[in-house]
Structures are given as structure tokens and as C-alpha cells.
Amino acid sequence: EFKMEESGGGTVQEGGSLRLSCTASGFSFMNNCVAWFRQAPGKEREGIADISHRGYDEWTTYDDAVKGRFTISQDVAKNTVYLQMNSLKPNDSGVYSCAASQSWCLTAIPAFTPRRYDYWGRGTQVTVSS
């Protein structure tokens, strides 16, 4: 069975930091693409950070709203992807979910396109107070 579990969410003050983790079971993050999405109440889900692989190449993609503040990284040996969030703002609040391709990433499809990913986690709540 393939699944992904997020952790690390919580409530922080504006300007604070939080580190989210997403651990995969049943498959490896090696040579695939993994992304973080978020969804605020009443809003559509949006992609915020993606890390993709093609052979020995690795690159990241960030939504402009989080660029310079959030950093995505992964530990392949631990099947875990991280999202370091700094300088948090109230409008960063929402449910953060991780998504990943089962194996090879379809790199021709732009990052954050839902069909690019095969497995999705349930999400973890992030609340930034003002």
C-alpha cells in the first residue's frame, strides 16, 4: 500500500517558522517529483513548492507567494520531504498536503499540475496568527 503522511503543522505567530515533514510508505522518493500544496478555507488548492528529478538532475519550483521564504528539500534515504517555512504570514494559513509521483516524474507537465502526482497525503493544518 502506498501512502504519504504529513506532520509538523501547528499554530505560529506571524513572522515565525515551521518545518513540515512528509514521509512516504510503500515507495521511494528517489527519481520522482514531490510537491507541497495548501488550501485555505473557501479557497482552491494551490501548489507552493515542488522538487523534481530527472536522472542526476534536481530542481525546485516555487510559487511566487512563497519564493524566498519557503524551502523544499528531501532525504531520499528516509523517504521524507520537508518544507521549511520562514517569515510566515497570516495568509499562509491552511491545510498543507504533500503529493508525489509513484516513480518517474512527468517533467513535461508543469509543476503543481495535479495529474503530475499519483499519491496525496491527508494534510496537516498550519495556522499563522496575527
PDB file of all heavy atoms in Angstrom, residues 26-52:
ATOM      1  N   GLY A  26       5.762   2.585   1.243  1.00  0.00           N
ATOM      2  CA  GLY A  26       5.475   1.729   0.113  1.00  0.00           C
ATOM      3  C   GLY A  26       6.178   2.109  -1.178  1.00  0.00           C
ATOM      4  O   GLY A  26       6.133   1.343  -2.150  1.00  0.00           O
ATOM      5  N   PHE A  27       6.813   3.260  -1.217  1.00  0.00           N
ATOM      6  CA  PHE A  27       7.557   3.683  -2.396  1.00  0.00           C
ATOM      7  C   PHE A  27       8.634   4.664  -1.979  1.00  0.00           C
ATOM      8  O   PHE A  27       8.634   5.170  -0.853  1.00  0.00           O
ATOM      9  CB  PHE A  27       6.634   4.285  -3.461  1.00  0.00           C
ATOM     10  CG  PHE A  27       6.016   5.597  -3.076  1.00  0.00           C
ATOM     11  CD1 PHE A  27       6.508   6.789  -3.589  1.00  0.00           C
ATOM     12  CD2 PHE A  27       4.934   5.646  -2.213  1.00  0.00           C
ATOM     13  CE1 PHE A  27       5.930   8.005  -3.248  1.00  0.00           C
ATOM     14  CE2 PHE A  27       4.354   6.851  -1.861  1.00  0.00           C
ATOM     15  CZ  PHE A  27       4.850   8.031  -2.377  1.00  0.00           C
ATOM     16  N   SER A  28       9.534   4.933  -2.896  1.00  0.00           N
ATOM     17  CA  SER A  28      10.660   5.815  -2.624  1.00  0.00           C
ATOM     18  C   SER A  28      10.510   7.125  -3.374  1.00  0.00           C
ATOM     19  O   SER A  28       9.924   7.177  -4.452  1.00  0.00           O
ATOM     20  CB  SER A  28      11.973   5.134  -3.028  1.00  0.00           C
ATOM     21  OG  SER A  28      13.061   6.030  -2.902  1.00  0.00           O
ATOM     22  N   PHE A  29      11.053   8.194  -2.791  1.00  0.00           N
ATOM     23  CA  PHE A  29      11.047   9.498  -3.454  1.00  0.00           C
ATOM     24  C   PHE A  29      12.158   9.632  -4.493  1.00  0.00           C
ATOM     25  O   PHE A  29      12.211  10.629  -5.211  1.00  0.00           O
ATOM     26  CB  PHE A  29      11.203  10.610  -2.420  1.00  0.00           C
ATOM     27  CG  PHE A  29       9.960  10.897  -1.629  1.00  0.00           C
ATOM     28  CD1 PHE A  29      10.039  11.496  -0.380  1.00  0.00           C
ATOM     29  CD2 PHE A  29       8.707  10.589  -2.134  1.00  0.00           C
ATOM     30  CE1 PHE A  29       8.900  11.770   0.354  1.00  0.00           C
ATOM     31  CE2 PHE A  29       7.554  10.853  -1.410  1.00  0.00           C
ATOM     32  CZ  PHE A  29       7.655  11.454  -0.159  1.00  0.00           C
ATOM     33  N   MET A  30      13.028   8.657  -4.564  1.00  0.00           N
ATOM     34  CA  MET A  30      14.142   8.719  -5.496  1.00  0.00           C
ATOM     35  C   MET A  30      13.648   8.800  -6.937  1.00  0.00           C
ATOM     36  O   MET A  30      12.798   8.021  -7.359  1.00  0.00           O
ATOM     37  CB  MET A  30      15.052   7.509  -5.324  1.00  0.00           C
ATOM     38  CG  MET A  30      16.274   7.518  -6.241  1.00  0.00           C
ATOM     39  SD  MET A  30      17.347   6.080  -6.001  1.00  0.00           S
ATOM     40  CE  MET A  30      18.014   6.446  -4.369  1.00  0.00           C
ATOM     41  N   ASN A  31      14.168   9.765  -7.682  1.00  0.00           N
ATOM     42  CA  ASN A  31      13.887   9.956  -9.101  1.00  0.00           C
ATOM     43  C   ASN A  31      12.442  10.316  -9.422  1.00  0.00           C
ATOM     44  O   ASN A  31      11.992  10.130 -10.549  1.00  0.00           O
ATOM     45  CB  ASN A  31      14.290   8.719  -9.907  1.00  0.00           C
ATOM     46  CG  ASN A  31      15.766   8.437  -9.841  1.00  0.00           C
ATOM     47  OD1 ASN A  31      16.584   9.359  -9.915  1.00  0.00           O
ATOM     48  ND2 ASN A  31      16.125   7.163  -9.717  1.00  0.00           N
ATOM     49  N   ASN A  32      11.735  10.828  -8.463  1.00  0.00           N
ATOM     50  CA  ASN A  32      10.362  11.234  -8.713  1.00  0.00           C
ATOM     51  C   ASN A  32      10.203  12.737  -8.474  1.00  0.00           C
ATOM     52  O   ASN A  32      11.174  13.463  -8.337  1.00  0.00           O
ATOM     53  CB  ASN A  32       9.391  10.423  -7.856  1.00  0.00           C
ATOM     54  CG  ASN A  32       9.496  10.737  -6.379  1.00  0.00           C
ATOM     55  OD1 ASN A  32      10.395  11.440  -5.925  1.00  0.00           O
ATOM     56  ND2 ASN A  32       8.540  10.210  -5.613  1.00  0.00           N
ATOM     57  N   CYS A  33       8.966  13.192  -8.447  1.00  0.00           N
ATOM     58  CA  CYS A  33       8.698  14.578  -8.103  1.00  0.00           C
ATOM     59  C   CYS A  33       7.771  14.612  -6.902  1.00  0.00           C
ATOM     60  O   CYS A  33       6.857  13.797  -6.786  1.00  0.00           O
ATOM     61  CB  CYS A  33       8.104  15.356  -9.281  1.00  0.00           C
ATOM     62  SG  CYS A  33       6.634  14.642 -10.038  1.00  0.00           S
ATOM     63  N   VAL A  34       8.032  15.540  -6.017  1.00  0.00           N
ATOM     64  CA  VAL A  34       7.245  15.699  -4.806  1.00  0.00           C
ATOM     65  C   VAL A  34       6.900  17.171  -4.653  1.00  0.00           C
ATOM     66  O   VAL A  34       7.737  18.035  -4.918  1.00  0.00           O
ATOM     67  CB  VAL A  34       8.000  15.207  -3.558  1.00  0.00           C
ATOM     68  CG1 VAL A  34       7.065  15.178  -2.351  1.00  0.00           C
ATOM     69  CG2 VAL A  34       8.601  13.835  -3.793  1.00  0.00           C
ATOM     70  N   ALA A  35       5.688  17.440  -4.227  1.00  0.00           N
ATOM     71  CA  ALA A  35       5.259  18.822  -4.103  1.00  0.00           C
ATOM     72  C   ALA A  35       4.443  19.038  -2.846  1.00  0.00           C
ATOM     73  O   ALA A  35       3.832  18.110  -2.309  1.00  0.00           O
ATOM     74  CB  ALA A  35       4.445  19.247  -5.327  1.00  0.00           C
ATOM     75  N   TRP A  36       4.438  20.269  -2.406  1.00  0.00           N
ATOM     76  CA  TRP A  36       3.588  20.702  -1.318  1.00  0.00           C
ATOM     77  C   TRP A  36       2.490  21.591  -1.873  1.00  0.00           C
ATOM     78  O   TRP A  36       2.754  22.492  -2.675  1.00  0.00           O
ATOM     79  CB  TRP A  36       4.382  21.467  -0.259  1.00  0.00           C
ATOM     80  CG  TRP A  36       5.217  20.602   0.627  1.00  0.00           C
ATOM     81  CD1 TRP A  36       6.542  20.317   0.483  1.00  0.00           C
ATOM     82  CD2 TRP A  36       4.778  19.916   1.805  1.00  0.00           C
ATOM     83  NE1 TRP A  36       6.971  19.499   1.495  1.00  0.00           N
ATOM     84  CE2 TRP A  36       5.908  19.234   2.328  1.00  0.00           C
ATOM     85  CE3 TRP A  36       3.559  19.815   2.479  1.00  0.00           C
ATOM     86  CZ2 TRP A  36       5.833  18.457   3.486  1.00  0.00           C
ATOM     87  CZ3 TRP A  36       3.498  19.043   3.627  1.00  0.00           C
ATOM     88  CH2 TRP A  36       4.617  18.380   4.111  1.00  0.00           C
ATOM     89  N   PHE A  37       1.278  21.323  -1.428  1.00  0.00           N
ATOM     90  CA  PHE A  37       0.120  22.133  -1.761  1.00  0.00           C
ATOM     91  C   PHE A  37      -0.485  22.672  -0.478  1.00  0.00           C
ATOM     92  O   PHE A  37      -0.246  22.147   0.603  1.00  0.00           O
ATOM     93  CB  PHE A  37      -0.936  21.299  -2.498  1.00  0.00           C
ATOM     94  CG  PHE A  37      -0.548  20.874  -3.886  1.00  0.00           C
ATOM     95  CD1 PHE A  37       0.323  19.818  -4.090  1.00  0.00           C
ATOM     96  CD2 PHE A  37      -1.070  21.524  -4.990  1.00  0.00           C
ATOM     97  CE1 PHE A  37       0.675  19.411  -5.365  1.00  0.00           C
ATOM     98  CE2 PHE A  37      -0.735  21.129  -6.274  1.00  0.00           C
ATOM     99  CZ  PHE A  37       0.141  20.072  -6.459  1.00  0.00           C
ATOM    100  N   ARG A  38      -1.284  23.697  -0.609  1.00  0.00           N
ATOM    101  CA  ARG A  38      -2.018  24.202   0.538  1.00  0.00           C
ATOM    102  C   ARG A  38      -3.400  24.661   0.100  1.00  0.00           C
ATOM    103  O   ARG A  38      -3.611  25.021  -1.059  1.00  0.00           O
ATOM    104  CB  ARG A  38      -1.273  25.346   1.231  1.00  0.00           C
ATOM    105  CG  ARG A  38      -1.215  26.640   0.438  1.00  0.00           C
ATOM    106  CD  ARG A  38      -0.379  27.676   1.177  1.00  0.00           C
ATOM    107  NE  ARG A  38      -0.309  28.938   0.458  1.00  0.00           N
ATOM    108  CZ  ARG A  38       0.494  29.942   0.797  1.00  0.00           C
ATOM    109  NH1 ARG A  38       1.301  29.822   1.853  1.00  0.00           N
ATOM    110  NH2 ARG A  38       0.487  31.060   0.082  1.00  0.00           N
ATOM    111  N   GLN A  39      -4.320  24.629   1.041  1.00  0.00           N
ATOM    112  CA  GLN A  39      -5.671  25.060   0.760  1.00  0.00           C
ATOM    113  C   GLN A  39      -6.234  25.786   1.969  1.00  0.00           C
ATOM    114  O   GLN A  39      -6.317  25.225   3.059  1.00  0.00           O
ATOM    115  CB  GLN A  39      -6.565  23.877   0.396  1.00  0.00           C
ATOM    116  CG  GLN A  39      -7.965  24.266  -0.040  1.00  0.00           C
ATOM    117  CD  GLN A  39      -8.743  23.099  -0.612  1.00  0.00           C
ATOM    118  OE1 GLN A  39      -8.469  21.939  -0.308  1.00  0.00           O
ATOM    119  NE2 GLN A  39      -9.720  23.399  -1.448  1.00  0.00           N
ATOM    120  N   ALA A  40      -6.606  27.024   1.767  1.00  0.00           N
ATOM    121  CA  ALA A  40      -7.235  27.811   2.811  1.00  0.00           C
ATOM    122  C   ALA A  40      -8.744  27.623   2.730  1.00  0.00           C
ATOM    123  O   ALA A  40      -9.279  27.296   1.667  1.00  0.00           O
ATOM    124  CB  ALA A  40      -6.873  29.285   2.656  1.00  0.00           C
ATOM    125  N   PRO A  41      -9.452  27.822   3.849  1.00  0.00           N
ATOM    126  CA  PRO A  41     -10.911  27.674   3.829  1.00  0.00           C
ATOM    127  C   PRO A  41     -11.557  28.548   2.760  1.00  0.00           C
ATOM    128  O   PRO A  41     -11.269  29.737   2.660  1.00  0.00           O
ATOM    129  CB  PRO A  41     -11.325  28.119   5.233  1.00  0.00           C
ATOM    130  CG  PRO A  41     -10.126  27.829   6.078  1.00  0.00           C
ATOM    131  CD  PRO A  41      -8.952  28.141   5.191  1.00  0.00           C
ATOM    132  N   GLY A  42     -12.414  27.946   1.957  1.00  0.00           N
ATOM    133  CA  GLY A  42     -13.100  28.677   0.917  1.00  0.00           C
ATOM    134  C   GLY A  42     -12.261  28.997  -0.302  1.00  0.00           C
ATOM    135  O   GLY A  42     -12.738  29.681  -1.215  1.00  0.00           O
ATOM    136  N   LYS A  43     -11.038  28.521  -0.327  1.00  0.00           N
ATOM    137  CA  LYS A  43     -10.139  28.784  -1.442  1.00  0.00           C
ATOM    138  C   LYS A  43      -9.777  27.494  -2.164  1.00  0.00           C
ATOM    139  O   LYS A  43      -9.905  26.400  -1.615  1.00  0.00           O
ATOM    140  CB  LYS A  43      -8.857  29.467  -0.962  1.00  0.00           C
ATOM    141  CG  LYS A  43      -9.074  30.765  -0.211  1.00  0.00           C
ATOM    142  CD  LYS A  43      -9.591  31.855  -1.120  1.00  0.00           C
ATOM    143  CE  LYS A  43      -9.707  33.170  -0.376  1.00  0.00           C
ATOM    144  NZ  LYS A  43     -10.199  34.265  -1.258  1.00  0.00           N
ATOM    145  N   GLU A  44      -9.329  27.633  -3.392  1.00  0.00           N
ATOM    146  CA  GLU A  44      -8.875  26.484  -4.151  1.00  0.00           C
ATOM    147  C   GLU A  44      -7.484  26.071  -3.703  1.00  0.00           C
ATOM    148  O   GLU A  44      -6.696  26.883  -3.216  1.00  0.00           O
ATOM    149  CB  GLU A  44      -8.868  26.791  -5.649  1.00  0.00           C
ATOM    150  CG  GLU A  44     -10.241  27.006  -6.251  1.00  0.00           C
ATOM    151  CD  GLU A  44     -10.194  27.189  -7.747  1.00  0.00           C
ATOM    152  OE1 GLU A  44      -9.085  27.316  -8.305  1.00  0.00           O
ATOM    153  OE2 GLU A  44     -11.268  27.194  -8.367  1.00  0.00           O
ATOM    154  N   ARG A  45      -7.194  24.797  -3.869  1.00  0.00           N
ATOM    155  CA  ARG A  45      -5.876  24.292  -3.539  1.00  0.00           C
ATOM    156  C   ARG A  45      -4.836  24.879  -4.480  1.00  0.00           C
ATOM    157  O   ARG A  45      -5.064  24.991  -5.687  1.00  0.00           O
ATOM    158  CB  ARG A  45      -5.878  22.764  -3.639  1.00  0.00           C
ATOM    159  CG  ARG A  45      -4.569  22.094  -3.262  1.00  0.00           C
ATOM    160  CD  ARG A  45      -4.707  20.588  -3.350  1.00  0.00           C
ATOM    161  NE  ARG A  45      -5.054  20.171  -4.697  1.00  0.00           N
ATOM    162  CZ  ARG A  45      -5.526  18.974  -5.007  1.00  0.00           C
ATOM    163  NH1 ARG A  45      -5.733  18.076  -4.044  1.00  0.00           N
ATOM    164  NH2 ARG A  45      -5.808  18.679  -6.270  1.00  0.00           N
ATOM    165  N   GLU A  46      -3.691  25.245  -3.939  1.00  0.00           N
ATOM    166  CA  GLU A  46      -2.630  25.813  -4.744  1.00  0.00           C
ATOM    167  C   GLU A  46      -1.300  25.124  -4.463  1.00  0.00           C
ATOM    168  O   GLU A  46      -0.990  24.785  -3.326  1.00  0.00           O
ATOM    169  CB  GLU A  46      -2.503  27.319  -4.492  1.00  0.00           C
ATOM    170  CG  GLU A  46      -2.175  27.684  -3.050  1.00  0.00           C
ATOM    171  CD  GLU A  46      -2.012  29.178  -2.846  1.00  0.00           C
ATOM    172  OE1 GLU A  46      -1.933  29.920  -3.844  1.00  0.00           O
ATOM    173  OE2 GLU A  46      -1.966  29.612  -1.675  1.00  0.00           O
ATOM    174  N   GLY A  47      -0.533  24.925  -5.503  1.00  0.00           N
ATOM    175  CA  GLY A  47       0.792  24.366  -5.351  1.00  0.00           C
ATOM    176  C   GLY A  47       1.758  25.441  -4.912  1.00  0.00           C
ATOM    177  O   GLY A  47       1.728  26.561  -5.427  1.00  0.00           O
ATOM    178  N   ILE A  48       2.639  25.117  -3.970  1.00  0.00           N
ATOM    179  CA  ILE A  48       3.549  26.121  -3.451  1.00  0.00           C
ATOM    180  C   ILE A  48       5.025  25.758  -3.618  1.00  0.00           C
ATOM    181  O   ILE A  48       5.863  26.649  -3.733  1.00  0.00           O
ATOM    182  CB  ILE A  48       3.255  26.440  -1.975  1.00  0.00           C
ATOM    183  CG1 ILE A  48       3.280  25.167  -1.125  1.00  0.00           C
ATOM    184  CG2 ILE A  48       1.899  27.131  -1.846  1.00  0.00           C
ATOM    185  CD1 ILE A  48       3.153  25.424   0.358  1.00  0.00           C
ATOM    186  N   ALA A  49       5.349  24.476  -3.622  1.00  0.00           N
ATOM    187  CA  ALA A  49       6.745  24.080  -3.759  1.00  0.00           C
ATOM    188  C   ALA A  49       6.834  22.682  -4.352  1.00  0.00           C
ATOM    189  O   ALA A  49       6.079  21.802  -3.966  1.00  0.00           O
ATOM    190  CB  ALA A  49       7.468  24.131  -2.414  1.00  0.00           C
ATOM    191  N   ASP A  50       7.752  22.492  -5.265  1.00  0.00           N
ATOM    192  CA  ASP A  50       7.946  21.203  -5.923  1.00  0.00           C
ATOM    193  C   ASP A  50       9.434  20.919  -6.039  1.00  0.00           C
ATOM    194  O   ASP A  50      10.228  21.829  -6.290  1.00  0.00           O
ATOM    195  CB  ASP A  50       7.307  21.212  -7.312  1.00  0.00           C
ATOM    196  CG  ASP A  50       7.563  19.934  -8.107  1.00  0.00           C
ATOM    197  OD1 ASP A  50       8.673  19.806  -8.686  1.00  0.00           O
ATOM    198  OD2 ASP A  50       6.659  19.076  -8.167  1.00  0.00           O
ATOM    199  N   ILE A  51       9.787  19.663  -5.837  1.00  0.00           N
ATOM    200  CA  ILE A  51      11.157  19.229  -6.086  1.00  0.00           C
ATOM    201  C   ILE A  51      11.081  18.058  -7.056  1.00  0.00           C
ATOM    202  O   ILE A  51      10.379  17.077  -6.812  1.00  0.00           O
ATOM    203  CB  ILE A  51      11.900  18.862  -4.786  1.00  0.00           C
ATOM    204  CG1 ILE A  51      13.354  18.485  -5.085  1.00  0.00           C
ATOM    205  CG2 ILE A  51      11.187  17.761  -4.007  1.00  0.00           C
ATOM    206  CD1 ILE A  51      14.233  18.458  -3.840  1.00  0.00           C
ATOM    207  N   SER A  52      11.769  18.183  -8.179  1.00  0.00           N
ATOM    208  CA  SER A  52      11.694  17.204  -9.255  1.00  0.00           C
ATOM    209  C   SER A  52      13.065  16.637  -9.579  1.00  0.00           C
ATOM    210  O   SER A  52      14.092  17.277  -9.343  1.00  0.00           O
ATOM    211  CB  SER A  52      11.097  17.838 -10.516  1.00  0.00           C
ATOM    212  OG  SER A  52       9.781  18.297 -10.292  1.00  0.00           O
TER     213      SER A  52
END
